[in-house]
Amino acid sequence: QSQGALLRSLMLAILFAIREEVKPLLREFKTDAKLEVRPATIWKGHWKDFPLVLVQTGIGMNKAHEATQKLLDYFLPHHAVSAGYAGGLQPGLRVGDLVTPREVSDGANPPQILDHAGEGRLLTVQKPLMSVAEKQAAGERGFTVVDMETYAEVQVLQKKNIPCTALRVVFDPLEEPLGFEDPSLIKSLWKKPELLLKNC
């Protein structure tokens, strides 16, 4: 492995798709090292004295898969969290709601368990669900929220027996088409940081 992967230690890796998602955490993050290994940007350091590796993967399953592999070329965290925005697929979910799904699926292959104590099902898609009709159809299949990265990340992590949970902030509710008006929504994650650390 590139430069020799570190032995697995008490280190949490948090994966985000875009810079807007990781920005709030970086403000309080003490960076020890930063790696630019396309498509990933990886920061190693500490947040409130807790050792973390942060990964910006880029958007979509292909980039998420490749970026997660880049992470494992350098580090072997004991746990990973896929964090960031998601689309709501069920009535009642509102902008800013936090969802910790029990399982993730790509809609075609067997689902993967994320958190036995979690609620709902996360769907990872190749292309975004832009319309209300598309989201309704996914919701009728029993999915709670949708993203474009988590299933691909889990596929890589499971090869090293690294558990992964997901923490997603609802960006566009079921009743609204996909939009990008308010990138500050990700701050909802950091109002409850214990959710990120509960499985560590």
Side-chain angles (χ1 to χ4, degrees):
Q1 289 183 329
S2 180
Q3 295 189 5
L6 300 182
L7 292 177
R8 188 173 305 181
S9 59
L10 188 62
M11 179 180 290
L12 177 69
I14 309 178
L15 298 95
F16 304 86
I18 60 175
R19 183 60 59 94
E20 287 296 337
E21 294 173 331
V22 71
K23 240 184 213 180
L25 186 53
L26 283 174
R27 293 192 187 106
E28 299 182 24
F29 189 73
K30 181 180 179 182
T31 301
D32 298 326
K34 180 180 178 182
L35 303 174
E36 296 282 358
V37 282
R38 292 184 180 181
T41 301
I42 303 172
W43 297 264
K44 177 184 178 293
H46 293 78
W47 181 64
K48 299 183 185 297
D49 297 322
F50 192 90
L52 289 179
V53 176
L54 308 179
V55 185
Q56 180 183 331
T57 65
I59 296 173
M61 292 183 72
N62 291 339
K63 287 185 178 179
H65 188 281
E66 186 176 351
T68 306
Q69 186 58 63
K70 294 290 186 182
L71 163 68
L72 299 187
D73 285 344
Y74 293 88
F75 304 103
L76 279 179
H78 80 289
H79 197 99
V81 176
S82 180
Y85 297 130
L89 301 178
Q90 295 296 329
L93 286 175
R94 296 291 174 254
V95 173
D97 283 352
L98 294 176
V99 178
T100 305
R102 184 179 188 278
E103 65 179 39
V104 61
S105 172
D106 67 350
N109 295 298
Q112 301 291 329
I113 296 297
L114 294 169
D115 185 344
H116 287 283
E119 295 185 0
R121 301 171 65 207
L122 171 61
L123 173 65
T124 298
V125 294
Q126 289 280 5
K127 296 180 180 180
L129 305 183
M130 301 297 295
S131 70
V132 173
E134 288 178 302
K135 293 195 290 183
Q136 286 177 332
E140 289 169 359
R141 294 169 62 196
F143 293 106
T144 309
V145 288
V146 59
D147 77 352
M148 297 179 65
E149 292 82 30
T150 302
Y151 192 85
E153 293 161 355
V154 170
Q155 283 184 309
V156 177
L157 292 164
Q158 68 181 1
K159 293 177 182 177
K160 295 289 186 179
N161 296 314
I162 299 172
C164 180
T165 54
L167 184 58
R168 291 286 165 178
V169 178
V170 174
F171 186 77
D172 51 304
L174 174 64
E175 300 82 6
E176 297 179 10
L178 181 61
F180 296 92
E181 291 83 2
D182 188 0
S184 67
L185 285 176
I186 201 66
K187 293 178 182 177
S188 299
L189 276 176
W190 314 120
K191 293 178 182 178
K192 295 184 178 180
E194 66 274 9
L195 292 176
L196 285 169
L197 308 179
K198 70 176 183 175
N199 290 304
C200 300

